[in-house]
Amino acid sequence: MKESPSPRIGILVVAYNAETTLEKTLDRIPEDFRSRIEEILILDDASHDATFTAGCRWSQAEGMPRTVVMRHTKNLGYGGNQKAGYALAAAHGLDIIVLLHGDGQYAPELLPEMVAPIERGECEAVFGSRMMTSGSALKGGMPMYKWLGNRILTRLENGLLGSDLTEFHSGYRAYSVAALKRLPVDRNTDAFDFDTQIIVQLLNAGMRIREIPVPTYYGDEICYVNGMKYARDVVKDVLEYRLAVKGFGTCRWIPKPVEYAFKEGDGSSHAVILDKMRALPPGRVLDLGCSGGLFAERLESLGHEVTGVDYVEVPGVRDRCSHFHLADLEEGLPAEAGTGFDYVVAGDVIEHLSRPERVLAEAASVLRPGGRMLLSVPNFSHWYSRLRVSVGAFDYDRRGILDETHLRFFTRASLRRTVRAAGYDVLELSSTGAPFWSLLGRGPLAAVLGGASRLLTRVRPTLFGYQHVALLTPHAAETIIAGEHVDVQDILNRQYVPADRVGV
């Protein structure tokens, strides 16, 4: 059996004003480990001293691993320097990259132990923790206020993220480069809370983190971290993430899920549309914006034949729909989807389009006579968006009424005008309450607030309705003109030509 090649290991040394410590730190790399190092990347972050010269001098000594020494002409910041290093690691084809500080605060002697769990396939990241061994951090010279702050922040972050790390604030780390490629680290801060953001990204992606105990060393190096600002930033990061997964804010450094997480019976617009579909006889359904097909799967179980359309193909969607077409609705309905549908469903779709009237009109043309369209849109006149605008705090969220991908906003009145202009009669228009369960879970508080929201929505849907759900049918009225039966919409659209004028 052919053995797999050894992983290509790289060491990323971030350095700033480390002239007096850099070479001493690099000298401590175990000699029996140096032969396993593919490349050392020394990144001098625009130091004011001779850090770059020290790095070059060490790299040229006999017997040293291949070493690349770079100096930024502009200070990129602690996070920015790491971004540059990880991009280099990927470009140079490395498999594992270890973050090592040039000031000697973390032990290079433990580099073999740092990479071992990743080599064994046990995890995607290894952190050197100064807190795993009780009392070692203080014995190593960590100031009491830093030790206390570290413990408090780590406990808070673990509580908010559901993790169990012994330390969030160690700068001694090893990463799988393949794992880093899957994370949007280029969107992270350039400041010192970069390390916290990358932990959140790892946890959000379901990646595994291992910790190993490392000794603590505090020498006479200069600390450039503003402790209070750092504490504020890391707490802000974790809270921003927690709000983002609930749909608030945009949090650009956390990927947004591609698939719509449909939950039957959750009171959402999709759940309301599904309830309406249960009362209708089975037929052919065109599901616009079908996402991963979870909603279509429910329709199929009710006896409907579903044709799904979306601009991305989520894995598994073709197994959940009878037919699937990859198409961008901005360009209109795909002709290959067909015609003669009994129903068209557009759940939370038209607000993402710059010209929703076009798609609505095309949807009417693919419905059979007497067919039905079911659509939903967020209610921009809901109290939440009104409040954000009135206090001057308007901004976008990851989902909901102020979803950052929305191109059009609708109120109850503007929805009526839009669908009528597109050629529909409104058979039914209802509204859903606010999804407090999404923010608060399924506890009693969410149940009470949800009940109150549904009651207020019935009283005043324009203010308390979170989404509007419409049941539509194309205009079916005809006008008799001298014995001719003419669709009223043809007259309104100026497509009717009197019989005695044909060919004139």
Side-chain angles (χ1 to χ4, degrees):
M1 182 177 178
K2 186 177 180 180
E3 293 186 5
S4 58
S6 299
R8 304 182 73 209
I9 299 171
I11 312 298
L12 170 60
V13 184
V14 291
Y16 179 67
N17 292 343
E19 175 188 1
T20 60
T21 58
L22 179 59
E23 292 174 277
K24 296 175 183 177
T25 300
L26 295 170
D27 284 339
R28 292 165 57 192
I29 297 175
E31 290 191 10
D32 58 353
F33 183 72
R34 294 180 185 182
S35 61
R36 298 179 55 198
I37 298 174
E38 181 72 23
E39 192 169 50
I40 296 178
L41 305 172
I42 302 175
L43 271 58
D44 172 14
D45 198 18
S47 297
H48 301 298
D49 63 8
T51 296
F52 178 73
T53 302
C56 291
R57 185 168 52 240
W58 188 87
S59 69
Q60 293 167 9
E62 185 178 351
M64 296 308 175
R66 168 180 163 79
T67 302
V68 176
V69 186
M70 302 177 66
R71 182 181 187 275
H72 305 310
T73 57
K74 176 183 177 181
N75 186 273
L76 302 182
Y78 175 69
N81 204 9
Q82 286 192 62
K83 292 179 194 179
Y86 298 143
L88 277 173
H92 290 193
L94 301 178
D95 299 308
I96 299 174
I97 189 73
V98 185
L99 175 66
L100 183 65
H101 290 209
D103 60 8
Q105 190 176 137
Y106 298 101
E109 293 84 0
L110 294 179
L111 282 170
E113 287 80 1
M114 288 292 292
V115 301
I118 300 178
E119 289 181 298
R120 295 192 296 264
E122 297 174 358
C123 58
E124 287 72 43
V126 177
F127 294 173
S129 172
R130 299 165 294 182
M131 301 292 185
M132 287 188 75
T133 304
S134 179
S136 66
L138 292 174
K139 290 178 182 177
M142 181 181 289
M144 175 60 74
Y145 75 92
K146 287 193 174 185
W147 179 88
L148 185 61
N150 192 317
R151 298 285 291 182
I152 292 173
L153 287 174
T154 294
R155 176 168 293 187
L156 175 64
E157 289 163 310
N158 275 327
L160 290 171
L161 296 173
S163 53
D164 59 354
L165 297 176
T166 61
E167 183 181 8
F168 266 73
H169 311 288
S170 168
Y172 201 10
R173 303 181 175 198
Y175 298 108
S176 157
V177 176
L180 289 178
K181 289 180 181 178
R182 293 167 52 194
L183 303 177
V185 295
D186 58 308
R187 301 180 187 175
N188 288 7
T189 177
D190 291 335
F192 287 99
D193 53 318
F194 176 94
D195 284 347
T196 293
Q197 291 185 351
I198 206 169
I199 292 177
V200 175
Q201 289 171 331
L202 288 164
L203 295 174
N204 180 71
M207 296 185 187
R208 301 162 297 174
I209 301 173
R210 294 285 184 271
E211 292 182 290
I212 67 167
V214 297
T216 303
Y217 171 75
Y218 272 82
D220 56 1
E221 69 278 355
I222 299 174
C223 178
Y224 296 96
V225 183
N226 181 325
M228 294 302 296
K229 181 181 184 302
Y230 173 76
R232 182 177 69 248
D233 288 344
V234 298
V235 171
K236 177 184 71 67
D237 290 337
V238 177
L239 290 176
E240 182 182 15
Y241 168 73
R242 290 296 300 165
L243 288 172
V245 296
K246 298 297 183 182
F248 296 99
T250 53
C251 196
R252 62 186 299 273
W253 48 276
I254 292 294
K256 187 176 180 180
V258 174
E259 185 174 6
Y260 173 74
F262 172 73
K263 296 181 178 63
E264 191 168 354
D266 61 8
S268 67
S269 56
H270 282 75
V272 171
I273 291 174
L274 183 62
D275 286 340
K276 293 182 183 298
M277 291 294 292
R278 286 195 179 97
L280 299 171
R284 295 180 63 228
V285 181
L286 179 62
D287 185 6
L288 303 179
C290 64
S291 188
L294 297 178
F295 178 80
E297 188 175 43
R298 269 98 171 155
L299 292 180
E300 293 270 353
S301 69
L302 296 176
H304 297 283
E305 178 186 313
V306 181
T307 297
V309 177
D310 213 319
Y311 75 101
V312 293
E313 182 172 343
V314 177
V317 64
R318 294 183 186 272
D319 298 326
R320 301 183 182 111
C321 303
S322 295
H323 313 281
F324 174 77
H325 298 283
L326 187 66
D328 185 355
L329 293 177
E330 271 294 312
E331 306 300 324
L333 296 186
E336 59 270 24
T339 60
F341 289 98
D342 299 290
Y343 312 103
V344 174
V345 175
D348 302 344
V349 170
I350 66 171
E351 64 272 17
H352 296 271
L353 304 175
S354 60
R355 293 187 294 167
E357 299 85 359
R358 173 188 173 183
V359 171
L360 289 171
E362 291 182 1
S365 70
V366 301
L367 279 168
R368 66 165 176 78
R372 299 287 187 267
M373 181 170 193
L374 296 97
L375 68 80
S376 62
V377 296
N379 173 29
F380 187 68
S381 64
H382 185 266
W383 62 263
Y384 170 71
S385 48
R386 289 194 194 194
L387 180 63
R388 292 279 295 270
V389 172
S390 65
V391 299
F394 175 83
D395 203 350
Y396 289 97
D397 292 325
R398 287 167 68 90
R399 63 172 181 262
I401 298 172
L402 301 180
D403 189 310
E404 60 186 326
T405 62
H406 288 178
L407 300 179
R408 296 283 290 269
F409 291 123
F410 290 94
T411 64
R412 189 178 175 93
S414 68
L415 176 61
R416 284 184 181 273
R417 290 194 299 269
T418 300
V419 297
R420 284 173 176 168
Y424 293 90
D425 291 324
V426 180
L427 300 178
E428 183 183 330
L429 183 58
S430 58
S431 302
T432 69
F436 285 104
W437 57 268
S438 179
L439 179 63
L440 303 173
R442 299 291 181 176
L445 179 58
V448 171
L449 292 176
S453 177
R454 289 189 293 272
L455 176 62
L456 291 170
T457 297
R458 286 194 292 270
V459 174
R460 193 175 177 187
T462 55
L463 179 61
F464 295 101
Y466 191 74
Q467 288 177 296
H468 298 311
V469 182
L471 176 63
L472 314 171
T473 190
H475 291 311
E478 291 184 336
T479 299
I480 299 176
I481 302 177
E484 296 181 65
H485 291 263
V486 182
D487 192 297
V488 171
Q489 196 62 29
D490 288 342
I491 298 176
L492 296 175
N493 293 336
R494 300 182 180 180
Q495 296 176 351
Y496 164 67
V497 180
D500 62 351
R501 301 290 293 173
V502 174
V504 177

